[in-house]
């Protein structure tokens, strides 16, 4: 008799071949056979029982972001499936491969409006690069293999719907295989020398050049910094590229727009040339001057010329191309433009340090970031939620180039911090992991603090509580609208954490901060998660997209009011540094 294997087990063995060692989900009648297979395979693949499928879906997306291996989550038919949707769109927007497995009623009951049944494939085809319903038990492993290959090849989420009966049949043990060992991604080289020399000519003739880098330059930090120094070109990163360049690099201007830094926004108003590398920056149409010379390097032909009229468009690998620029180009003379921006960065850093060191007045968010920087290990992982906490983290985390930094990028899903931290700790159990969230986002997913407890995941959760949706509150202020719908009820997140078996710490004063974070480190080293609820004032972070500092643009009374509100007496506009360095 031919040897057979359970189809559900074969499906999981296929996932394992793609380096999947954990999977998120919640049981349900239409995924029972998958659950039984997970029980049989529990020594090879770990089932993570989340409290909400959305958390599992977002964690799966974070898995891929952090490891490069496919993240996987499942939900049962009907509501379990639709709860996966938020993670699916998050993956679609950030172009992240992920696999979502959806339960379905047994085949004999399909298409009869049975309990929790709906036609799932049309729903998922919008977000997914692949969406199929398995038709035979024998094809189940193959369809999962196909879904993962499509997810990687097309940079997005894939969906496989499995009728419950098809995950519990005997199929030939030699009747399926995985393509994981054969999968390869296209490898691009540097751009053609002709194009690189054309770009170098434009750079040499520019008076105020910038290099703007995105996630396509992950792993190319050294090349970016060498390029910047060699050609005297300050560096801007996207917010999602926060982790790439060490915070202390002298010419790192930060990111632009609102979730951004002062030096980057100011430099963008002055530049006459941009080298745009490995990015599909969505705010380009708003932030980039239409008349600048524009050079673009990207490995994706779909984005070449997408965000700006482009003078030189190079389809190539970012790292290799920057290496070739460095090889072919001559060293630039010391640049007054570069020096002025270096001074501007130093002044901006000093402002942020002063804010983090404040001990008077009501408690603000900055002192908490001082403690996070103090206790962060060299390879710490930061999972950042959406809202004010995003822009504050962009400005204040002093990353060293070895600390992954993830959030929900283009879709900006609130509640993403905690799932990302769970994914980080599962994939890297020996590394320090932070979940940083505002109270609005924390309230959305705080039930899954119990997941951290259940699986002994020592994560440092920090909640910034200001009893408001601060990011939206500031938008309403900018639009001269009375605040409406943005207030949040006071919530004791420390007690909510304690109710789920986790240590909760509340901080209301600056002098409580150090002890709280020291305790968090102590608990983490003992293998325990912790939540620190930092009760902060609802003062607005400085709006770097609406700077009111330049005396050539604003009267002194307006400037003084801005400085008073944002404690910015010593903050100097770029225009002043340009004058000091005689930059016209």
């Amino acid at each position: 008799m031919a040897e057979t294997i359970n189809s559900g087990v074969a499906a999981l063995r296929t996932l394992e071949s793609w380096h999947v060692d954990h999977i998120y989900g919640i049981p349900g009648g239409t995924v029972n056979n998958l659950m039984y297979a997970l029980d049989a395979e529990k020594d090879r693949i770990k089932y993570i029982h989340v409290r909400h499928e959305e958390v599992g879906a977002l964690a799966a997306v974070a898995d891929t972001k952090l490891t490069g291996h496919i993240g996987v989550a499942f939900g049962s038919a009907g509501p379990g499936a639709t709860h996966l949707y938020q993670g699916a769109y998050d993956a679609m927007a950030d172009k992240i491969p992920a696999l979502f497995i959806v339960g379905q009623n047994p085949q004999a009951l399909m298409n009869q409006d049975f309990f929790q049944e709906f036609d799932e494939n049309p729903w998922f085809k919008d977000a997914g690069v692949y969406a199929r319903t398995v038709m035979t038990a024998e094809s189940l492993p193959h369809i999962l293999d196909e879904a993962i290959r499509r997810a990687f090849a097309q940079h997005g989420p894939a969906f496989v719907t499995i009728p419950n009966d098809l995950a519990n049949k005997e199929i030939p043990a030699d009747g399926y295989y995985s393509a994981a060992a054969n999968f390869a991604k296209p490898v691009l080289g540097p751009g053609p020398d002709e194009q690189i020399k054309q770009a170098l000519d434009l750079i040499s003739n520019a008076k105020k050049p910038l290099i703007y880098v995105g996630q396509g330059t992950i792993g190319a930090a050294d090349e970016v910094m060498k390029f910047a120094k060699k050609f005297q070109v300050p560096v801007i990163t996207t917010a999602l590229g926060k982790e790439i360049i060490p915070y202390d690099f002298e010419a790192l201007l930060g990111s632009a727009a609102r979730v951004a830094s002062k030096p980057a926004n100011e430099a963008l108003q002055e530049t006459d040339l941009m080298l745009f590398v490995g990015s599909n920056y969505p705010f380009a149409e708003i932030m980039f001057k239409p008349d600048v010379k524009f050079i673009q390097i990207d490995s994706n032909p779909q984005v070449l010329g997408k965000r700006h009229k482009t003078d030189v468009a190079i389809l190539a690998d970012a790292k290799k191309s920057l290496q070739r620029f460095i090889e072919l180009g001559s060293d630039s003379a010391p640049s007054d433009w570069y020096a002025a921006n270096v001074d501007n960065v130093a002044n901006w850093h000093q402002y942020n340090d002063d804010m983090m060191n404040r001990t008077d007045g009501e408690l603000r968010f900055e002192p908490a970031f001082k403690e996070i920087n103090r206790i962060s290990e060299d390879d710490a992982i930061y999972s950042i939620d959406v809202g004010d906490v995003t822009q504050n983290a962009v400005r204040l985390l002093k990353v060293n180039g070895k600390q992954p930094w993830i959030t929900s990028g283009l879709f900006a899903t609130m509640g993403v911090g905690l799932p990302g931290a769970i994914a980080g700790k599962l994939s890297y159990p020996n590394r320090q992991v932070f979940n940083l969230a505002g109270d609005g986002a924390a309230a959305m997913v705080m039930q899954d603090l119990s997941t951290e407890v259940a699986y002994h995941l020592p994560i440092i959760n920090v909640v910034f509580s200001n009893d408001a949706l601060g990011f939206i509150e500031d938008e309403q202020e900018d639009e001269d609208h009375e605040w409406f719908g943005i207030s949040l009820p006071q919530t004791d997140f420390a007690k909510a954490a304690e109710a789920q078996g986790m240590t909760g710490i509340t901080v209301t004063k600056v002098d409580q901060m150090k002890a709280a974070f020291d305790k968090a480190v102590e608990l983490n080293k003992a293998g325990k998660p912790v939540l620190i609820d930092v009760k902060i004032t609802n003062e607005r972070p400085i709006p770097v997209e609406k700077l009111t500092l330049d005396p050539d643009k604003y009267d002194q009374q307006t400037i003084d009011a801005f400085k008073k509100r944002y404690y910015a007496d010593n903050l100097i506009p770029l225009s002043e540094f340009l004058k000091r360095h005689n930059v016209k």
Side-chain angles (χ1 to χ4, degrees), residues 381-497:
I381 296 169
Y382 301 109
S383 182
I384 313 297
D385 223 302
V386 169
D388 273 353
V389 69
T390 325
Q391 67 178 359
N392 295 335
V394 161
R395 297 171 186 177
L396 300 175
L397 283 180
K398 297 186 178 184
V399 298
N400 61 15
K402 298 180 291 184
Q403 296 160 315
W405 190 98
I406 58 170
T407 188
S408 173
L410 197 62
F411 215 55
T413 297
M414 287 178 67
V416 76
L418 188 149
I422 289 173
K425 201 63 185 178
L426 285 167
S427 294
Y428 300 100
N430 296 321
R431 293 172 69 171
Q432 186 185 48
V433 177
F434 290 90
N435 159 34
L436 308 183
D439 45 358
M444 290 182 168
V445 293
M446 62 182 176
Q447 76 283 338
D448 269 277
L449 292 171
S450 66
T451 303
E452 296 182 17
V453 174
Y455 293 97
H456 308 290
L457 303 176
I459 292 165
I460 298 176
N461 302 275
V462 183
V463 179
F464 296 86
S465 298
N466 63 345
D467 302 333
L469 296 174
F471 200 81
I472 306 305
E473 180 178 279
D474 298 341
E475 288 181 352
Q476 292 184 0
E477 176 187 337
D478 290 341
E479 294 170 1
D480 296 321
H481 195 288
E482 180 183 356
W483 287 337
F484 180 77
I486 48 81
S487 62
L488 295 171
Q490 290 187 0
T491 301
D492 191 331
F493 288 96
K495 284 187 178 179

Side-chain angles (χ1 to χ4, degrees), residues 128-260:
V129 298
Y130 182 83
R132 295 289 190 276
T133 297
V134 177
M135 303 303 292
T136 67
E138 289 77 9
S139 68
L140 171 55
H142 173 75
I143 297 301
L144 289 172
D145 191 62
E146 177 76 9
I148 295 171
R149 285 189 290 109
R150 296 280 191 100
F152 277 120
Q154 299 179 45
H155 305 283
F159 299 85
V160 174
T161 299
I162 306 175
N164 190 38
D165 56 320
L166 297 187
N168 188 27
K169 292 185 180 294
E170 291 299 309
I171 63 174
D174 60 357
Y176 75 98
Y177 60 88
S178 165
N182 309 117
F183 182 77
K185 298 178 182 179
V187 178
L188 294 177
D193 283 358
E194 180 182 352
Q195 284 190 303
I196 292 176
K197 289 176 181 178
Q198 184 182 356
L200 283 168
D201 286 342
L202 291 174
I203 294 169
S204 67
N205 290 322
K207 300 196 182 311
K208 300 177 181 179
L210 294 173
I211 178 171
Y212 198 111
V213 302
Q215 289 182 297
T217 60
I218 289 177
D222 287 345
E223 287 74 17
V224 173
M225 291 186 286
K226 286 178 183 176
F227 179 98
K229 287 187 174 182
K230 183 180 180 74
F231 300 112
Q232 294 287 280
V233 181
V235 181
I236 299 177
T237 70
T238 59
L240 294 179
K242 164 77 176 177
E243 68 182 81
I244 300 169
I245 310 297
Y247 176 89
D248 60 4
F249 178 61
E250 62 177 9
L252 176 61
L253 307 184
S255 58
R258 185 177 173 196
V259 179

Side-chain angles (χ1 to χ4, degrees), residues 362-365 465-466 534-540 567:
E362 294 184 272
L363 180 61
R364 289 172 54 92
F365 57 87
S465 298
N466 63 345
V534 184
K535 301 296 188 184
I536 60 173
T537 177
N538 193 29
E539 293 178 274
R540 181 176 183 172
Y567 309 93

Side-chain angles (χ1 to χ4, degrees), residues 294-307:
F294 203 80
I295 304 160
Q296 186 174 5
I297 304 171
D298 209 283
S299 61
N300 182 359
Q302 292 185 53
V303 303
L304 287 176
K306 178 176 181 177
R307 297 300 185 183

